[in-house]
Amino acid sequence: MRSFVRRLTAAAVSLLCTGTVLTPPRASAAEAACQDLNIPVSLVDVPLLGLKDQTMYGRLCVPPGGSRTLQLLVPGGTYSSAYYDPPGLPDTRSFRKAVNNAGYATLAVDRVGSGRSSKPLSELLTATAQANVVHHAIQAMRTGAVGPRFEKIVLVGHSLGSATAIIESATFRDVDGVVVTGFTHHVAPLTVMPTLAALSPAALDPKESKVVGLDAGYLTTLQGMRYAAFHSPGPYDQQTIDADEATKDLIAPGEIIDAVLIGLVLPYSRRINAPVLLAMGEKDNVFCGPLATDCSTAETLRQSETASYAPEAHLRTFVVPDYGHSINFAPNAPLLHTAVTTWTNEMIGH
C-alpha cells in the first residue's frame, strides 16, 4: 500500500510538471448503462453511392445522468474493445469504468477486421482505411444516427489504434481532443523485435482459425507470446497474461505499413488542431529506450515528442512507471485512468 501511495505521489508531481493537476475522478453511485452498437461504416472517405458496406461494432456505456462528452476508444493491433475493459481482471484495469465513473460516456470499438466488426479482405485494411471507418463512427455519434447524440468527442487510441486516431484527427479535424497511448514517433530498434516476432498467420492459431471469413493475410500473436510482446519488462502476473491471451485478436499487415509511414515518418500529427494527451509506459519496448523515445519521465517524453505536434495541440504527457507497452494491464493502471480523466476535465469538460 505504501508503495502504491509513493507511486501515486510521483505521478502527481510528474503531471504538475506538464501543467496538469491531479484530481480524483467523480464517483458513480450506479453502473453505467451499456448497449451494443453496430455502426455502418466504409473503408473509404466517401463511400461509393453513399453506401457504407462495413460494420463497426462498439460497446456504448453512458454514466448515470448522461454525458454530453463521449470518449471513443480504439484498440491496438491484435486487441479488441476488450482492451479497455478486460474480462476476468479487477475493475482497476478497466479504462472504460474509470472514464464512466468520471462522468463521461465511452464507445469502445473493434477495429474493422477484428472482434465483432466486419472482416473484409485483409489487403483492404490500412491505418488510413481504419481512420475513415472511425470518422464515420464519429459522425454517427455526433448526429445520433445509431444512439444518443454527443456534443463533444475525445478520440482515444492505443498503439496501432493511436496511429489511426492521429490520422483521423489530423485528416478530418472533427474531434475535441485526442489521447494517444502506446505510440510515439520513434520505434525502438533494440527492443522491438519480440513484438514483431510474435506475429503469425491467424489461420495457424487454434483460436483465431475458427473465425469465419478470414483470408490468409490476417495475423495474430503466437500462443504464449503476449507477455514478451506487450508487457515486458513489467511485472509478470499470470492472471493478467491469461486474460490478455484469452481476448487476443487480429491485425492486417497493411495497417502496420501506413501507420509507420504516415504516423511516424511524416509526422502527420502536426496537422492535429485539438488538445493532445500522450501517455506511455516507462519501459515500452516498442517505442521507448536508446535510439528511440525517452519515456523515463513525463518531461523527457514531452521533450522527445513536442516537435511532432503543432502548438494548437497543447501537448501534455504522462508516463506509467515500470510497465511495458499495454499500459491498461499494468498494476498501476489507475494512474493512467486518473491522468486521462483529469486532462479531459480540464481540456474538454463534461
Side-chain angles (χ1 to χ4, degrees), residues 253-287:
E255 296 182 82
I256 302 173
I257 294 172
D258 69 335
V260 172
L261 291 177
I262 298 176
L264 298 182
V265 176
L266 292 182
Y268 201 52
S269 52
R270 284 196 60 83
R271 286 182 46 84
I272 298 174
N273 63 349
V276 176
L277 173 66
L278 168 62
M280 298 294 297
E282 178 190 1
K283 298 179 180 179
D284 188 316
N285 281 337
V286 182
F287 293 101

Side-chain angles (χ1 to χ4, degrees), residues 126-136 163-165 167-169 171-172:
T126 64
T128 301
Q130 297 286 9
N132 291 329
V133 166
V134 171
H135 172 59
H136 297 150
T164 294
I167 295 170
E168 196 287 332
S169 56
T171 301
F172 300 104

Side-chain angles (χ1 to χ4, degrees), residues 68-99:
R68 295 182 303 168
T69 302
L70 173 74
Q71 291 200 9
L72 198 159
L73 316 178
V74 186
T78 75
Y79 281 100
S80 70
S81 53
Y83 174 80
Y84 293 102
D85 194 8
L89 291 181
D91 286 353
T92 54
R93 313 293 175 86
S94 177
F95 186 100
R96 189 274 297 174
K97 289 183 179 179
V99 172

Side-chain angles (χ1 to χ4, degrees), residues 57-58 63 79 95 104 117 180 210 229 282 292 295 309 323:
Y57 167 81
Y79 281 100
F95 186 100
Y104 297 102
S117 294
V180 173
K210 298 176 182 178
E282 178 190 1
C295 301
Y309 292 91
Y323 210 75

Side-chain angles (χ1 to χ4, degrees), residues 316-337:
R316 300 282 181 87
T317 53
F318 181 77
V319 170
V320 177
D322 302 322
Y323 210 75
H325 185 63
S326 293
I327 49 180
N328 196 54
F329 285 89
N332 51 0
L335 296 175
L336 168 69
H337 305 159

Side-chain angles (χ1 to χ4, degrees), residues 63-254:
S67 175
R68 295 182 303 168
T69 302
L70 173 74
Q71 291 200 9
L72 198 159
L73 316 178
V74 186
T78 75
Y79 281 100
S80 70
S81 53
Y83 174 80
Y84 293 102
D85 194 8
L89 291 181
D91 286 353
T92 54
R93 313 293 175 86
S94 177
F95 186 100
R96 189 274 297 174
K97 289 183 179 179
V99 172
N100 292 158
N101 287 342
Y104 297 102
T106 56
L107 178 67
V109 301
D110 293 339
R111 296 177 353 273
V112 167
S114 69
R116 283 177 271 186
S117 294
S118 300
K119 307 294 189 302
L121 290 173
S122 59
E123 290 86 351
L124 300 177
L125 293 176
T126 64
T128 301
Q130 297 286 9
N132 291 329
V133 166
V134 171
H135 172 59
H136 297 150
I138 289 170
Q139 289 180 312
M141 302 315 292
R142 283 202 183 276
T143 62
V146 293
R149 175 181 171 274
F150 295 94
E151 295 180 14
K152 299 178 182 179
I153 293 181
V154 177
L155 186 54
V156 180
H158 172 69
S159 193
L160 182 62
S162 285
T164 294
I166 287 172
I167 295 170
E168 196 287 332
S169 56
T171 301
F172 300 104
R173 297 182 169 184
D174 57 354
V175 295
D176 300 279
V178 183
V179 177
V180 173
T181 72
F183 189 91
T184 72
H185 291 81
H186 305 88
V187 173
L190 303 180
T191 55
V192 72
M193 284 309 299
T195 301
L196 297 178
L199 295 175
S200 174
L204 302 179
D205 185 81
K207 174 177 176 281
E208 302 301 340
S209 61
K210 298 176 182 178
V211 178
V212 177
L214 294 187
D215 62 65
Y218 279 98
L219 305 174
T220 190
T221 53
L222 292 163
Q223 285 188 292
M225 293 295 291
R226 301 299 285 189
Y227 175 76
F230 301 122
H231 305 273
S232 176
Y236 186 95
D237 177 74
Q238 191 63 55
Q239 182 184 17
T240 298
I241 302 308
D242 288 347
D244 193 6
E245 186 74 40
T247 57
K248 74 176 183 180
D249 217 283
L250 303 167
I251 187 174

